[in-house]
Amino acid sequence: MTSATGLVLTSPRSFEQRSFDLPDIGASDGLLRIEACGLCGTDHEQYTGHITNPQAFIPGHEVIGVVEELGNHAAGRWGVNAGQRVAVEVFLSCRECVQCQAGVYRRCERNGLRTMIGFTDADTPPGLGGGYASHLYLGPDSMLMPVPDELDPVTATLFNPLGAGIRWAVEIPETQPGDVVAILGPGVRGLCAAAAVKEAGASFVMITGLGTRDAERLALAPAFGADLAVDVSETDPNRALREAIGRKADVVVDVTAKAPAAFAQAIQIARPGGTIVLAGTRGTPETPGFDADHIVYKELRIIGALGVDVTAYRQALDLLVSGRYPFEDLPRQVAGFDDLEPLIQLLAGEQPGTPPVHGVFAP
């Protein structure tokens, strides 16, 4: 094979299937044959133009695949072998700058946001920089994690949202055994966050959703560690938590998207001295019902969370293998090149119907 196929987003709502020459691989880089790529809220926000990109690019950043070619130096740097199934970290790391040495490689001085998987220029060779493709180019600063043999590629794509659940809901807020945790948003990241905090020893977990679109997800929540699932279109979540356990939450994790009222709810639900994590992008500057004074009155700690890290990803892979939560049974839809766009439109709310909890591209 001398060429690869990629689905390029040339402008909002405009995909173009292209052929790319496979690059020559040297000592410090590699080539991945993509098996599956999970779909994230970021993906459909890129598609609709809510997240802009100045150039044409191949989206997709929750990538699982097999290392097809690998340079000798890259093998040692990444700790993997040719023929091995791996998960790909979204961010790249030079491993040398002050930020990388401190463990916050998301702020790598050489990389950062501009070289993230699923965001790079498709017109700059080799162009294979995202997961909606048959192959992904692995530059020298790539970060790879071996995937256990027990995991099939589609289920393994959950390393990304589950890793996010671990970092956003456990590591960042420093969730402790016995804590009460409220998770706003019952999508795949919300369900993953519920499982993560339950594993961390949370004594009570509430998860919230909104209306018919979230009904199936809320019904699934108990299997992923939730003790209480609340439809906020029918029930005030602050009152529901108080009636259930007589107290507010130690930790509130907001993983909603395009749900501007959620932030005000988070402030209501959090106990005095509690922690609120805003995870991922909001999708809107609006914050109806928000009263900043309550942050002061309660002395709340509010933390933003952008990405994940390899430590959380490795924990996620271990938790997936454990089988303690039915991740392999999540309602999901797998699409190839020809039917990926309708799936993204469904996830974006631009097609009628209820979107799957877990969407996956498989070339």
Side-chain angles (χ1 to χ4, degrees):
M1 180 183 293
T2 59
S3 65
T5 301
L7 203 58
V8 179
L9 191 64
T10 58
S11 61
R13 298 182 177 85
S14 181
F15 273 123
E16 178 182 296
Q17 188 166 312
R18 294 185 187 175
S19 179
F20 294 82
D21 292 333
L22 290 178
D24 294 327
I25 300 303
S28 298
D29 53 1
L31 185 68
L32 186 82
R33 176 174 54 81
I34 294 174
E35 295 182 297
C37 179
L39 304 184
C40 170
T42 298
D43 295 37
H44 62 70
E45 290 178 351
Q46 289 175 324
Y47 176 76
T48 60
H50 284 90
I51 294 178
T52 59
N53 203 324
Q55 68 268 328
F57 65 104
I58 300 175
H61 57 269
E62 301 179 359
V63 180
I64 297 291
V66 173
V67 179
E68 195 161 87
E69 293 186 54
L70 183 66
N72 291 334
H73 181 66
R77 185 176 173 90
W78 301 336
V80 300
N81 301 310
Q84 190 168 13
R85 177 172 293 145
V86 298
V88 182
E89 162 60 293
V90 179
F91 288 90
L92 277 62
S93 170
C94 72
R95 300 164 173 82
E96 298 168 354
C97 72
V98 172
Q99 300 288 359
C100 287
Q101 289 289 320
V104 285
Y105 58 83
R106 293 177 303 283
R107 306 172 198 160
C108 174
E109 295 171 10
R110 187 160 73 197
N111 293 288
L113 297 176
R114 64 183 176 274
T115 63
M116 288 173 60
I117 301 297
F119 286 82
T120 60
D121 189 352
D123 293 320
T124 298
L128 297 168
Y132 297 179
S134 61
H135 291 77
L136 178 72
Y137 172 69
L138 301 172
D141 291 350
S142 298
M143 303 180 73
L144 308 178
M145 293 147 288
V147 173
D149 293 338
E150 299 93 320
L151 288 178
D152 67 89
V154 169
T155 302
T157 62
L158 289 166
F159 84 94
N160 187 289
L162 184 53
I166 291 168
R167 181 170 185 265
W168 297 348
V170 178
E171 294 179 355
I172 288 178
E174 300 175 336
T175 299
Q176 301 297 312
D179 277 351
V180 173
V181 181
I183 298 164
L184 312 186
V188 65
R189 278 165 177 72
L191 296 174
C192 286
V197 296
K198 208 64 170 182
E199 285 293 301
S203 63
F204 192 90
V205 181
M206 177 178 76
I207 191 167
T208 69
L210 178 66
T212 304
R213 183 181 174 92
D214 286 339
E216 180 181 33
R217 302 173 182 200
L218 290 173
L220 290 169
F224 292 88
D227 301 288
L228 176 66
V230 177
D231 181 347
V232 300
S233 69
E234 300 176 350
T235 306
D236 173 29
N238 185 43
R239 183 182 300 113
L241 184 61
R242 186 172 63 248
E243 291 176 351
I245 60 171
R247 55 166 295 192
K248 292 179 179 288
D250 301 291
V251 175
V252 182
V253 185
D254 181 358
V255 291
T256 61
K258 301 177 185 177
F263 185 44
Q265 292 171 358
I267 292 172
Q268 291 176 340
I269 292 166
R271 67 163 173 80
T275 299
I276 297 172
V277 177
L278 299 179
T281 54
R282 302 290 84 203
T284 174
E286 298 177 5
T287 52
F290 169 60
D291 184 345
D293 283 347
H294 288 291
I295 298 175
V296 178
Y297 296 147
K298 288 186 172 183
E299 295 189 321
L300 296 174
R301 184 173 66 136
I302 299 176
I303 308 172
L306 174 63
V308 196
D309 58 31
V310 291
T311 301
Y313 285 144
R314 292 189 180 108
Q315 293 178 49
L317 289 166
D318 289 341
L319 186 53
L320 287 171
V321 170
S322 76
R324 288 193 289 276
Y325 302 91
F327 287 108
E328 68 278 6
D329 297 328
L330 279 173
R332 63 172 49 90
Q333 185 173 336
V334 180
F337 285 111
D338 294 337
D339 49 359
L340 179 61
E341 186 168 13
L343 175 56
I344 293 175
Q345 291 170 338
L346 179 61
L347 293 169
E350 296 190 343
Q351 290 282 355
T354 301
V357 176
H358 188 207
V360 180
F361 165 73

